[in-house]
Amino acid sequence: MVRKTVAVGMVGCGFYAQNHLHAWADLRAEGAMLTAVCDRDPAKAEAAGQTFGVPHFTDMSAMLDAVKIDLLDIATRMDTHRELAAIAAERGIAAIVQKPFAPTWEDCVAIVEKARAHGAWLAVHENFRFASAMRAVKKVLTQGTIGTPNWARLSWRTGFDVYRGQPYLAEEEKLVIQDVGIHIFDLARYFLGEVAHLSCETQKRNPKIRAEDTATVMMRHESGAVSVVEATYAAKRGNDPFPETLLEIEGDGGSLILTKGEKMIVTTQGLTFEDHVGGPLLHWTSRPWHVSQEAVLHTNRHMFERFRDGLPADTSGEDNLRTYALVEAAYEAARTHAAVKPVRWTPAG
Ligand code: NAD
Ligand code: 89V
């Protein structure tokens, strides 16, 4: 069936969903029609409905009974994802689920298998790889400009007060690996391929929070490449790069460095080129979150186009199980202080 437009329903109108809502509004001209919103908090539902000019609800099932929706964008917190994704699958409605996919591996697998059982399209909103700078890096790697990548450092280090916009992070049982490490693991797979095994050390350097706020991970990729993934919310740095991921990638033909301010420095055949590869500020984005916000626009566009064209998303539910398996492996490695092979999900039957 050739679709021209897609009716989008937004579930969860909290802190980060504001970026999703603005992105869908920007994509209307391309055929992504934000059609209804819902949040169990009536005030948030009403605010979003009025701001974006669509009907608002406090219950997803009530919204689906009242309005024809083709694609649900679920931006609630992970503890609600399994229940909401199951409702969507049982109704045969396509769904995008925000990261982290769910609290446990078992929940993630259950969401994927439910969607498969109902033939429902499913993807995870994993937006770091869709940021302009990361797509520019991928292009350089795909062109072979630095040869075959064989070593990398992917660094996400900040002292920015993430707890102001996301106070729940201070109480989470698992923190930096499950909340931001998951993004950096997805980037490491995107740039260097699947992971054979990893080791990990975690720390809690901020006494005011419940779980680990610092993780240092070393990974061996199936390609033979080695990468170091670092993530912390407890850095005390000037010139803080929040929310940017800084990269150093070396290949057998050169190197690529992505510094603060999204400056890419590529060295190949003895020559070095510098280029700013970040995206523009948009009418609804603001520093320092603009890097993350702009990535939402590109992620939503990717989801809309792939669903419209009957194709899986790059970060489909099944693909994200590969990223989530690295989260599980990292916690296991931190617990055992030994290298761990990530589990692999294979479809039943
Ligand atoms: P939040 O608590 O501010 O918003 C969640 C909203 O969902 C709340 O308004 C709540 O009332 C609503 N809600 C909860 N259960 C519901 C239900 N059953 N039906 C309808 N509404 C329901 O949380 P947040 O900070 O916006 O985070 C939401 C998700 O986005 C989290 O999974 C978080 O990890 C993720 N996130 C991703 C990024 C990124 O992609 N870079 C950045 C920040 C947060
Ligand atoms: O981007 C995110 O997923 C957020 C952040 C890392 C900023 O805290 O949760």
Side-chain angles (χ1 to χ4, degrees):
M1 176 172 78
V2 181
R3 292 174 189 274
K4 291 247 170 312
T5 64
V6 169
V8 175
M10 187 79 233
V11 186
C13 302
F15 170 72
Y16 202 72
Q18 303 312 310
N19 302 314
H20 291 236
L21 290 160
H22 280 291
W24 288 125
D26 279 10
L27 292 168
R28 193 172 198 85
E30 300 172 35
M33 321 304 279
L34 182 67
T35 303
V37 297
C38 104
D39 193 297
R40 69 179 174 202
D41 176 331
K44 290 182 183 171
E46 185 176 357
Q50 283 173 355
T51 306
F52 294 93
V54 292
H56 55 91
F57 301 82
T58 56
D59 176 76
M60 185 177 88
S61 297
M63 177 175 77
L64 297 176
D65 292 343
V67 183
K68 183 182 177 325
I69 297 291
D70 304 315
L71 178 61
L72 279 167
D73 186 6
I74 300 172
T76 55
R77 298 215 312 255
M78 66 177 175
D79 56 310
T80 62
H81 292 171
R82 183 171 175 173
E83 175 215 343
L84 295 173
I87 294 169
E90 282 153 12
R91 289 175 179 242
I93 298 178
I96 309 162
V97 178
Q98 247 292 0
K99 53 61 55 183
F101 203 176
T104 68
W105 172 256
E106 291 66 30
D107 290 325
C108 296
V109 168
I111 297 174
V112 167
E113 292 185 342
K114 182 89 162 181
R116 277 177 69 87
H118 292 270
W121 190 94
L122 175 69
V124 173
H125 184 110
E126 174 41 74
N127 61 31
F128 274 36
R129 64 164 73 183
F130 292 103
S132 292
M134 297 307 161
R135 291 181 304 143
V137 169
K138 181 69 173 177
K139 195 164 168 220
V140 169
L141 299 184
T142 307
Q143 287 164 345
T145 310
I146 69 165
T148 304
N150 47 33
W151 183 89
R153 174 184 286 127
L154 300 90
S155 175
W156 200 93
R157 312 193 71 79
T158 188
F160 181 85
D161 180 6
V162 293
Y163 308 103
R164 191 149 36 94
Q166 299 164 261
Y168 54 87
L169 292 177
E171 298 310 320
E172 294 284 13
E173 197 190 319
K174 295 174 175 177
L175 178 60
V176 79
I177 292 174
Q178 189 160 59
D179 184 67
V180 71
I182 197 165
H183 290 302
I184 319 304
F185 287 150
D186 192 66
L187 286 176
R189 288 183 56 230
Y190 184 50
F191 296 138
L192 296 147
E194 301 305 341
V195 172
H197 60 257
L198 60 79
S199 41
C200 173
E201 293 298 333
T202 57
Q203 299 162 276
K204 184 164 91 80
R205 300 192 290 167
N206 173 351
K208 297 200 199 84
I209 55 145
R210 177 177 172 192
E212 92 289 353
D213 58 26
T214 300
T216 309
V217 184
M218 185 167 64
M219 308 203 291
R220 170 72 75 172
H221 296 256
E222 290 173 358
S223 67
V226 170
S227 66
V228 178
V229 166
E230 313 162 355
T232 187
Y233 290 131
K236 295 183 175 38
R237 297 176 165 223
N239 206 16
D240 193 303
F242 177 87
E244 295 177 33
T245 306
L246 308 184
L247 299 174
E248 297 168 57
I249 303 177
E250 295 178 3
D252 54 10
S255 68
L256 179 156
I257 293 174
L258 186 70
T259 65
K260 181 176 179 325
E262 299 176 294
K263 186 165 76 174
M264 184 169 69
I265 305 163
V266 175
T267 298
T268 176
Q269 288 149 18
L271 298 172
T272 296
F273 309 90
E274 293 195 7
D275 195 2
H276 177 265
V277 288
L281 268 181
L282 305 170
H283 67 94
W284 50 273
T285 65
S286 56
R287 297 181 185 284
W289 279 97
H290 64 294
V291 173
S292 176
Q293 294 172 306
E294 193 240 357
V296 175
L297 177 64
H298 296 302
T299 307
N300 285 16
R301 178 180 286 116
H302 174 83
M303 300 300 174
F304 157 64
E305 290 175 348
R306 288 298 176 84
F307 170 70
R308 180 199 60 197
D309 303 345
L311 301 168
D314 289 353
T315 55
S316 65
E318 296 180 14
D319 177 83
N320 197 257
L321 287 179
R322 294 264 178 118
T323 295
Y324 199 97
L326 300 180
V327 169
E328 294 285 287
Y331 281 114
E332 173 70 8
R335 196 178 59 72
T336 60
H337 304 294
V340 171
K341 279 173 79 61
V343 292
R344 272 295 159 82
W345 171 80
T346 45

